[in-house]
Amino acid sequence: MQNLNPSDFQLSVAPMMDWTDRHCRYFHRLLSPHALLYTEMVTSAALVRGKQLRLLEHSQQEHPVALQLGGSDPQELAEAARLGAQAGYDEINLNVGCPSDRVQSGRFGACLMREPALVGDCVKAMRDAVTVPVTVKCRIGVDDQDEYADLQHFTETMLAAGVEVLTVHARKAWLQGLSPKENREIPPLDYERVYRLKREFPNLIVVINGGITTVDAVREHLKHVDGVMLGRAAYHDPYVLARIEAALYDMPMPTRESVLQHMRPYVEAELARGTALKHITRHLLGLYQGEPGARGFRRTLSEGAHLPGAGWALIEQAVAPVLVAA
């Protein structure tokens, strides 16, 4: 056991495929100095067999940052975890919650909740390979797993394997009949089941995920569990991270404009490397969510970022009307 500090897991941003890439994480870090950030899920096969080490790229400013892995082969996951730790990640997380068809065909993600013993073997192999924490992100169940006892058994197996942190998306996953998008919205949230897990396993660090969008909701959840993980809310309304940061850590809230200015050196360095502006600005579109001029900000960035030669001037052009509206 590593005697991890529960406060280190108080706030995190979920791993989200096609969303939480390195540009997104750099942006989120500016909004929240304390949040634990996660990569998109990277398959162990891509790292070990595909030798796609570029998938591990991240900047020093992102820390604390965790690598999320997908897979079900203990030895392959151990090697992938080792590569992640060597690349400097602060934590290795195993995905036992993603319900997509692609994930199921590879025998990993949410379907692994049916095979807790295999997940335990994977975790043990990963823990033997690295010194950084190995954590698990799961659902409250899959398909016909309707009983709390199923989640309880899964958790007991994780504890036996040495897991100290379990992030639980408080929805079941339906592996047949629902798309990944529908799996994020249709199965009902059952926060109480996650709270009960914390009560019954008080030494386990429990982080809750699913449908959390406001400062008040974060405060309420933290009365029952150790941490809160935000998903889509942090992406579509990223400034919520600054609000939560201020509430939890008594940090002064940066203005949206100051966050953009702090992005400028990063954007210009990435452009110099050959990164297209659109790969960065797509993560900024929600910054002015709910503010006067937000629609124009989004439109200017969306329409201009893919054009040849698009650079920092486009971001200044996009924000100018917002500042006038304010």
Side-chain angles (χ1 to χ4, degrees), residues 1-303:
M1 289 299 215
Q2 294 167 306
N3 294 318
L4 302 180
N5 187 344
S7 66
D8 292 340
F9 298 88
Q10 190 169 223
L11 175 63
S12 56
V13 178
M16 293 179 280
M17 293 298 289
D18 299 322
W19 290 1
T20 51
D21 64 17
R22 61 191 179 87
H23 308 308
C24 177
R25 298 191 303 266
Y26 189 95
F27 173 51
H28 283 171
R29 176 58 68 223
L30 294 176
L31 290 157
S32 175
H34 288 89
L36 173 60
L37 304 179
Y38 283 79
T39 67
E40 302 169 88
M41 183 187 68
V42 177
T43 67
S44 55
L47 293 181
V48 177
R49 284 182 261 160
K51 302 282 191 275
Q52 296 182 51
L53 298 184
R54 60 175 179 77
L55 296 172
L56 298 177
E57 185 178 353
H58 64 286
S59 73
Q60 289 306 305
Q61 285 78 13
E62 292 174 37
H63 293 279
V65 60
L67 170 67
Q68 189 185 61
L69 293 175
S72 59
D73 180 300
Q75 269 54 60
E76 189 174 82
L77 279 165
E79 180 57 27
R82 193 177 295 113
L83 291 169
Q86 288 170 356
Y89 284 94
D90 302 296
E91 170 192 328
I92 310 295
N93 178 266
L94 180 61
N95 182 321
V96 192
C98 180
S100 79
D101 293 339
R102 186 169 70 85
V103 163
Q104 288 181 60
S105 64
R107 197 183 173 208
F108 54 89
C111 62
L112 283 176
M113 290 206 71
R114 294 195 188 122
E115 302 183 72
L118 174 59
V119 179
D121 291 342
C122 291
V123 168
K124 281 177 186 164
M126 294 162 74
R127 290 187 78 243
D128 288 344
V130 299
T131 56
V132 297
V134 174
T135 65
V136 169
K137 185 172 190 287
C138 66
R139 294 273 183 144
I140 57 172
V142 291
D143 294 345
D144 54 357
Q145 287 184 343
D146 276 325
E147 301 302 320
Y148 172 76
D150 293 314
L151 180 61
Q152 187 180 40
H153 173 61
F154 180 85
T155 303
E156 288 168 346
T157 308
M158 294 307 97
L159 281 167
V163 168
E164 295 176 71
V165 183
L166 192 65
T167 298
V168 187
H169 187 153
R171 283 187 176 93
K172 279 198 343 180
W174 286 100
L175 302 181
Q176 304 295 330
L178 291 184
S179 70
K181 181 177 186 295
E182 289 169 333
N183 260 303
R184 292 193 295 268
E185 298 168 352
I186 292 176
L189 287 157
D190 187 349
Y191 294 137
E192 181 52 43
R193 189 171 290 197
V194 186
Y195 298 166
R196 180 178 173 186
L197 198 68
K198 177 60 188 177
R199 289 195 300 271
E200 295 188 8
F201 299 95
N203 294 327
L204 178 68
I205 296 172
V206 176
V207 178
I208 197 166
N209 170 230
I212 303 165
T213 61
T214 66
V215 173
D216 287 346
V218 169
R219 287 190 196 276
E220 181 58 34
H221 286 302
L222 289 175
K223 295 175 184 175
H224 306 278
V225 293
D226 302 291
V228 171
M229 176 180 276
L230 271 71
R232 286 167 292 161
Y235 193 84
H236 294 305
D237 181 15
Y239 200 63
V240 73
L241 291 173
R243 296 188 196 100
I244 295 169
E245 181 82 21
L248 296 186
Y249 304 102
D250 199 26
M251 296 287 287
M253 280 176 60
T255 64
R256 293 173 173 85
E257 293 72 46
S258 71
V259 170
L260 280 180
Q261 285 305 317
H262 281 102
M263 279 296 293
R264 182 172 184 167
Y266 179 84
V267 170
E268 292 181 336
E270 285 295 321
L271 292 174
R273 290 180 60 185
T275 301
L277 184 67
K278 64 183 180 181
H279 295 314
I280 303 173
T281 52
R282 70 189 186 98
H283 302 300
L284 311 181
L285 297 178
L287 181 59
Y288 287 91
Q289 180 72 24
E291 295 294 301
R295 186 174 299 170
F297 175 78
R298 289 194 302 270
R299 187 188 311 116
T300 299
L301 289 184
S302 298
E303 292 176 356

Side-chain angles (χ1 to χ4, degrees), residues 298-317:
R298 289 194 302 270
R299 187 188 311 116
T300 299
L301 289 184
S302 298
E303 292 176 356
H306 67 282
L307 298 175
W312 180 256
L314 179 73
I315 296 176
E316 292 190 329
Q317 179 188 335

